[in-house]
Amino acid sequence: MSMTEQATGAHHPQPRARNGGPSSVTVEHLTGAQSLIRSLEEVGADTVFGLPGGCILPAYDPLMDSTRVRHILVRHEQGAGHAATGYAQATGKVGVCMVTSGPGATNLVTPIADAHMDSVPLVAITGQVASKAIGTDAFQEADICGITMPITKHNFLVTRAEDIAHTISEAFHIASTGRPGPVLVDIAKDALQSQTTFSWPPTQDLPGYRPVTKPHAKQIREAARLITQAKRPVLYVGGGVLKAGATAELKVLAELTGAPVTTTLMALGAFPDSHPLHVGMPGMHGAVTAVTALQKADLIVALGARFDDRVTGKLDSFAPYAKIVHADIDPAEIGKNRAADVPIVGDAREVLADLVQAVQAEHTEGHIGEAARTGYAAWWKDLNRWRDTYPLGYDLPADGSLSPQQVIQRIGRLAPEGTIFAAGVGQHQMWASHFIDYEQPATWLNSGGAGTMGYAVPAAMGAKAGMPDRTVWAIDGDGCFQMTNQELTTCALNNIPIKVAIINNGALGMVRQWQTLFYNQRYSNTVLHSGADTDGIPAKGTRVPDFVKLSEAMGCYAIRCEDPADLDKVIEEANSINDRPVVVDFIVHEDAMVWPMVAAGTSNDEVMAARGVRPDFGDNEDD
């Protein structure tokens, strides 16, 4: 089902009169709570992640009778939000979570902010105190609309039962159209309890909300002209290409032009990693070739990307030679960080389809520069030199312990085709982006913008709930795992058999890496394997808690792996178990670092391929 169908309920035709005349609309008499559940059914919401409480309780009664909406009872509201995000990212549909007022609602703030930063279509439904009690500091009252206003695409406070159906319809439409994002629907308890009428589809009333999807033809022609005249073009691909379902069109444009493609952290899988035109991920921990390509480009075609600071590094030194074509569905993104020479507002799929035609027209009419005529041969000579000289790599620990990069690489190699990977945030996230090949869209889920530790386990749960036939691995750190692992109980009790790899180095690894590089190896409060003032003890992973026993207590099959000789056997064992969640505690070396790296606040020209190794950029070869 497409997002638009889900938003409008168009897949559920209304009954027709027997004479073949116009559709008749059936009006039912329901409570507001029944209207809410019926609305969720009609928009096609098949899964809701939630946790009940006083103010949302009226909605949970009719939910019990629904045969079309599956409710998954989480152990913490944050888990509901991240699960809904993982569901949305894996399926392409709107994710739904539902919780009660006050602390139930505020526990959703982090996943809502996370979805906002990563443009994930999410509808969060919260109970609110009765309408007459709003503003009186009633029990479990929180102004969740006010709290979430900066981190939602839109939010609604509903105080009348008759407004529930059209509000849910509008919320799904807003969340899934234009630039996707989270929408919050806060419903007063008395609105859920009151009687109302229900008919579907309701009339939407969204004055002023008309996202532009069709790009301007003149801008497209100008972009095509620049592409065919450029000497060193780069296609800079962001998550918007995945959101638009435009990966096939991207491949056509890339192969038509022969331009190199770089995919951001949010766009991994939008273009096959193994494709010869792919030069890797850009940014702070991006591939040297991708970082250098953007720095040396004379034309950057940004598609559904936002020139994030993690990609640009020091902004005023980013890509100094490049003209910019910037295409995005959200006009507010264009020119926000980097001025665009050719701004294009539109849906990435339509932009790419039109660009393909426009570039073909330039070819047909013979308007093609010498560099483009040769498939940018000189440019590819440089790119291939950087790619051959500075490939991604790692050293195996001298003490014979497990290398975290090797663990993640082997998980990727041994995973069944089509496996979905969800990562937490930190070193393991970057290694998972580097050492697993992403060949298909929607196989890589992570918290790119907000950088939310604890994202992986609940997001993997949501992905598996939405895609039950696919293998889902969560790649987590021992720090992240301790934030949201309670959702493994949810997985075990609801037949959601995800697999979790804990990359256990006994520390908050990425912060420790920065302390190593920039704080003279003073490891203040990043040690997880032991208590205060005990740094210096050789780390062999976090053992308190014992992740194997903890996972077993939550109904999982759990294994520990410490010997590289056991690595493949353990991963294959995990892959073979599909009747319950599996957790593997990989005890890895604590001093492994993420490379390449551009230090925060510095120019991408300062990228380091490894510690003390600055690439030869060919600095004197620029024009």
Side-chain angles (χ1 to χ4, degrees):
M1 185 192 307
S2 71
M3 286 183 182
T4 304
E5 288 172 336
Q6 190 177 14
T8 62
H11 63 299
H12 295 300
Q14 297 301 308
R16 284 186 173 277
R18 297 187 68 178
N19 62 6
S23 299
S24 63
V25 177
T26 303
V27 177
E28 303 171 60
H29 295 273
L30 305 174
T31 65
Q34 290 170 322
S35 175
L36 170 63
I37 304 305
R38 284 296 312 278
S39 301
L40 291 174
E41 291 175 342
E42 294 302 327
V43 295
D46 55 20
T47 305
V48 173
F49 302 90
L51 199 154
C55 288
I56 198 66
L57 199 52
Y60 272 79
D61 190 65
L63 179 63
M64 194 174 181
D65 297 327
S66 178
T67 57
R68 291 157 62 183
V69 178
R70 178 192 187 192
H71 181 268
I72 296 174
L73 175 62
V74 298
R75 267 47 185 174
H76 189 283
E77 291 88 351
Q78 184 184 355
H82 291 314
T85 295
Y87 171 95
Q89 289 177 310
T91 65
K93 297 191 287 187
V94 176
V96 187
C97 50
M98 185 164 73
V99 302
T100 195
S101 62
T106 57
N107 281 341
L108 273 185
V109 169
T110 293
I112 290 173
D114 186 275
H116 183 64
M117 290 288 278
D118 288 346
S119 305
V120 178
L122 190 75
V123 169
I125 299 165
T126 51
Q128 182 55 278
V129 300
S131 53
K132 287 186 178 178
I134 292 175
T136 68
D137 294 336
F139 177 66
Q140 290 194 334
E141 181 188 2
D143 176 13
I144 196 62
C145 282
I147 291 168
T148 60
M149 189 170 290
I151 54 170
T152 50
K153 188 174 176 183
H154 193 66
N155 61 31
F156 297 90
L157 172 60
V158 182
T159 56
R160 303 188 310 168
E162 58 265 39
D163 292 333
I164 289 175
H166 75 80
T167 301
I168 292 295
S169 173
E170 291 162 359
F172 272 72
H173 180 70
I174 294 170
S176 59
T177 53
R179 179 179 184 171
V183 177
L184 181 130
V185 181
D186 192 31
I187 309 177
K189 186 172 185 178
D190 54 322
L192 292 169
Q193 293 170 317
S194 300
Q195 289 291 320
T196 186
T197 57
F198 177 84
S199 62
W200 197 269
T203 301
Q204 292 185 356
D205 182 21
L206 296 169
Y209 181 70
R210 287 183 290 276
V212 173
T213 60
K214 185 68 178 171
H216 196 287
K218 181 181 176 185
Q219 302 296 75
I220 290 288
R221 286 196 299 273
E222 179 61 12
R225 189 188 67 79
L226 288 179
I227 291 171
T228 53
Q229 297 302 317
K231 296 179 180 175
R232 300 186 303 275
V234 177
L235 303 183
Y236 159 37
V237 176
V241 170
L242 286 172
K243 301 288 192 309
T247 57
E249 289 81 0
L250 170 65
K251 192 158 180 273
V252 171
L253 179 69
E255 293 178 347
L256 174 66
T257 61
V261 178
T262 178
T263 46
T264 68
L265 184 65
M266 291 306 299
L268 297 181
F271 193 77
D273 275 358
S274 61
H275 197 289
L277 295 176
H278 191 242
V279 294
M281 181 179 78
M284 174 177 276
H285 293 296
V288 168
T289 310
V291 173
T292 312
L294 289 171
Q295 286 302 97
K296 300 300 182 187
D298 67 352
L299 175 68
I300 292 175
V301 181
L303 300 160
R306 58 188 177 92
F307 293 87
D308 173 76
D309 63 290
R310 281 295 192 266
V311 167
T312 65
K314 189 179 178 184
L315 186 59
D316 59 12
S317 67
F318 173 70
Y321 315 110
K323 288 189 174 182
I324 303 293
V325 174
H326 192 175
D328 201 283
I329 188 82
D330 184 354
E333 284 297 341
I334 295 176
K336 185 178 78 176
N337 292 326
R338 173 68 182 257
D341 298 279
V342 181
I344 303 174
V345 178
D347 176 82
R349 191 171 182 178
E350 297 203 34
V351 169
L352 280 160
D354 287 0
L355 265 179
V356 167
Q357 289 191 357
V359 171
Q360 287 172 330
E362 292 289 312
H363 287 185
T364 302
E365 294 167 12
H367 300 157
I368 183 168
E370 181 59 27
R373 196 185 313 279
T374 65
Y376 309 110
W379 182 216
W380 274 107
K381 184 179 178 183
D382 286 340
L383 294 167
N384 287 329
R385 175 167 61 86
W386 298 325
R387 186 152 57 183
D388 293 342
T389 309
Y390 306 106
L392 294 172
Y394 58 88
D395 295 324
L396 296 175
D399 63 0
S401 58
L402 276 173
S403 149
Q405 300 97 324
Q406 185 184 24
V407 169
I408 292 169
Q409 189 172 48
R410 293 307 299 165
I411 290 173
R413 296 271 171 84
L414 296 172
E417 186 177 355
T419 293
I420 297 168
F421 297 91
V425 167
Q427 289 180 312
H428 61 280
Q429 176 192 25
M430 293 298 108
W431 290 323
S433 72
H434 285 167
F435 297 109
I436 296 175
D437 290 332
Y438 300 96
E439 302 294 318
Q440 303 174 31
T443 53
W444 163 248
L445 319 180
N446 85 131
S447 171
T452 307
M453 291 179 67
Y455 166 90
V457 169
M461 176 175 73
K464 183 68 176 175
M467 306 290 280
D469 296 332
R470 302 270 289 276
T471 298
V472 179
W473 270 98
I475 309 292
D476 222 359
D478 47 325
C480 284
F481 185 73
Q482 292 186 75
M483 293 187 174
T484 53
N485 65 69
Q486 75 277 0
E487 299 308 339
L488 284 170
T489 302
T490 309
C491 292
L493 295 178
N494 289 277
N495 189 29
I496 306 174
I498 64 169
K499 306 178 195 306
V500 181
I502 306 172
I503 307 302
N504 183 354
N505 62 0
L508 297 170
M510 185 62 90
V511 187
R512 177 185 165 87
Q513 175 170 334
W514 284 44
Q515 289 173 330
T516 300
L517 296 173
F518 310 120
Y519 291 88
N520 198 30
Q521 301 181 52
R522 287 164 52 82
Y523 299 116
S524 174
N525 291 282
T526 48
V527 176
L528 294 174
H529 63 81
S530 53
D533 302 324
T534 55
D535 188 46
I537 298 174
K540 292 185 177 178
T542 294
R543 306 289 179 139
V544 179
D546 183 321
F547 293 134
V548 171
K549 291 180 179 176
L550 177 65
S551 301
E552 288 175 344
M554 290 188 285
C556 304
Y557 183 81
I559 329 167
R560 178 169 291 121
C561 180
E562 302 188 57
D563 187 342
D566 298 333
L567 183 56
D568 282 12
K569 179 172 64 72
V570 166
I571 295 170
E572 285 167 352
E573 183 181 359
N575 280 330
S576 71
I577 297 170
N578 294 301
D579 61 349
R580 74 198 109 156
V582 179
V583 176
V584 186
D585 183 19
F586 291 102
I587 308 296
V588 301
H589 198 278
E590 73 171 341
D591 288 332
M593 290 196 191
V594 179
W595 298 103
M597 181 174 182
V598 179
T602 66
S603 168
N604 281 355
D605 289 331
E606 306 302 319
V607 63
M608 304 295 285
R611 195 171 187 180
V613 180
R614 183 175 181 272
D616 175 7
F617 262 6
D619 289 328
N620 299 320
E621 298 172 12
D622 305 317
D623 40 344

